[in-house]
Amino acid sequence: MCGRYVSVRSDDDLTDEFDAVDATDGLWPEGDFNIAPTKPVRVVVNRPLRDAEGNAAKEATRQLRVVSWGLIPSWSRDRKTQGRMFNARAESVARTNAFRKAYASRRCLVPADGWYEWRRVDAADGVRKQPMYMTPADGHPIAFAGLYEFWHDPAATDAPTVTTCTIVTVDSSGDLADIHDRMPLVLARASWERWLDPSVADPADLLRTWDEADGEHLELRPVSPLVNKVDNNGPELLAEAEPEVEEQRLF
DNA sequence: CCAGACGTTGTT
DNA sequence: GTCTGG
DNA sequence: CCAGACGTTGTT
DNA sequence: GTCTGG
């Protein structure tokens, strides 16, 4: 799955990489080595720009924007469910009430430098979790398939509209499957445009498991359990660490 | 018809 | 055990 | 995702 | 908003 990731590239790097205009509005001043659900994240959306009077342009434009991680459906009465909507299963995203509309018309890319998974390890004193970091070997940013949604708090009539997002997950494949059974849907560069195309209602062909052959090679490494605490943040979280727990031998 | 859920993960 | 907060 | 709380009354 | 269950 994907419940914690890294995004440390500058806004300029991402607008170059994704051919997008910068609409972050100064809301993303720092990189984040420990992004958790409900925190601000940067996404690339493809929708018409609006002028100062709120008039929408005719053509859609790719925009780098800051939204909140954890999708709140437009009909939610409160935002408490946000913490549980940070992933959407590829297998059901086209049908479920919570995601169907966003999937049909509000898909986005979620740029990342890598992500964390916790590998469960049987140890002498019970089940332990070893944090692992996954990152593309070539150093380019990757793009998770995401969905975004607008929400307005019905209990606060003068509150501004909140934009939230979720990351689509698939069954793990390759080496990733040894770490965890689910992983984010990492879109190959060649798929970015179609995923973002608002005129496409159901890009079902892109909802596939990760195939290393058509994307970047991923490096996997154990990292320190410092990452467990959301308050910890910095490049030291990415450093390779001795596994805390040796895998128990089967015999 | 109205009421209540609407999600994912992990674990068993 | 289960929910909330980050 | 993991960490940390999880309750009430009264008083300040 | 829209679907399912009763």
Side-chain angles (χ1 to χ4, degrees):
Chain A
M1 105 235 10
C2 183
R4 213 73 84 79
Y5 74 98
V6 176
S7 180
V8 294
R9 241 161 259 268
S10 70
D11 294 336
D12 284 349
D13 283 355
L14 291 183
T15 52
D16 283 353
E17 194 76 31
F18 290 92
D19 191 23
V21 302
D22 190 337
T24 52
D25 207 17
L27 295 170
W28 183 268
E30 299 286 334
D32 194 336
F33 291 89
N34 203 351
I35 302 178
T38 71
K39 289 178 83 176
V41 296
R42 289 176 296 181
V43 296
V44 175
V45 302
N46 191 27
R47 50 186 296 116
L49 287 165
R50 288 181 179 275
D51 62 20
E53 283 78 46
N55 302 307
K58 284 181 194 143
E59 299 294 321
T61 301
R62 285 195 190 183
Q63 310 167 41
L64 185 70
R65 288 191 161 273
V66 177
V67 304
S68 176
W69 187 14
L71 189 142
I72 308 176
S74 59
W75 37 258
S76 286
R77 274 182 297 242
D78 56 52
R79 60 184 306 162
K80 281 184 189 161
T81 55
Q82 180 179 28
R84 283 174 291 198
M85 301 278 205
F86 57 90
N87 286 155
R89 293 177 64 85
E91 298 88 333
S92 55
V93 74
R95 298 188 310 277
T96 56
N97 282 342
F99 301 128
R100 186 176 46 189
K101 286 202 174 130
Y103 170 71
S105 56
R106 283 181 297 277
R107 296 181 301 274
C108 63
L109 302 176
V110 184
D113 294 284
W115 79 96
Y116 303 101
E117 299 280 6
W118 278 259
R119 177 184 210 167
R120 297 185 119 73
V121 179
D122 291 327
D125 57 347
V127 175
R128 305 281 290 277
K129 292 175 189 176
Q130 172 64 52
M132 306 285 292
Y133 183 58
M134 264 59 55
T135 190
D138 73 358
H140 280 286
I142 48 177
F144 301 142
L147 313 174
Y148 66 98
E149 186 59 272
F150 299 108
W151 178 74
H152 183 264
D153 187 347
T157 46
D158 50 352
T161 297
V162 178
T163 309
T164 62
C165 72
T166 189
I167 293 171
V168 177
T169 63
V170 293
D171 272 339
S172 291
S173 48
D175 294 343
L176 278 293
D178 295 333
I179 296 172
H180 201 80
D181 61 342
R182 302 286 294 177
M183 64 179 280
L185 172 46
V186 179
L187 291 174
R189 184 175 289 258
S191 303
W192 292 357
E193 183 160 8
R194 205 167 129 65
W195 183 258
L196 288 179
D197 187 343
S199 71
V200 175
D202 182 12
D205 53 304
L206 299 180
L207 298 173
R208 296 180 310 213
T209 56
W210 170 247
D211 179 1
E212 198 164 279
D214 66 17
E216 282 122 314
H217 177 65
L218 294 170
E219 285 179 7
L220 326 175
R221 57 175 181 264
V223 292
S224 158
L226 278 174
V227 70
N228 293 6
K229 254 192 206 299
V230 177
D231 290 345
N232 292 329
N233 211 311
E236 66 275 13
L237 299 184
L238 308 185
E240 176 146 19
E242 280 301 307
E244 283 279 298
V245 192
E246 283 302 320
E247 188 120 31
Q248 199 166 47
R249 308 204 26 205
L250 291 173
F251 302 100

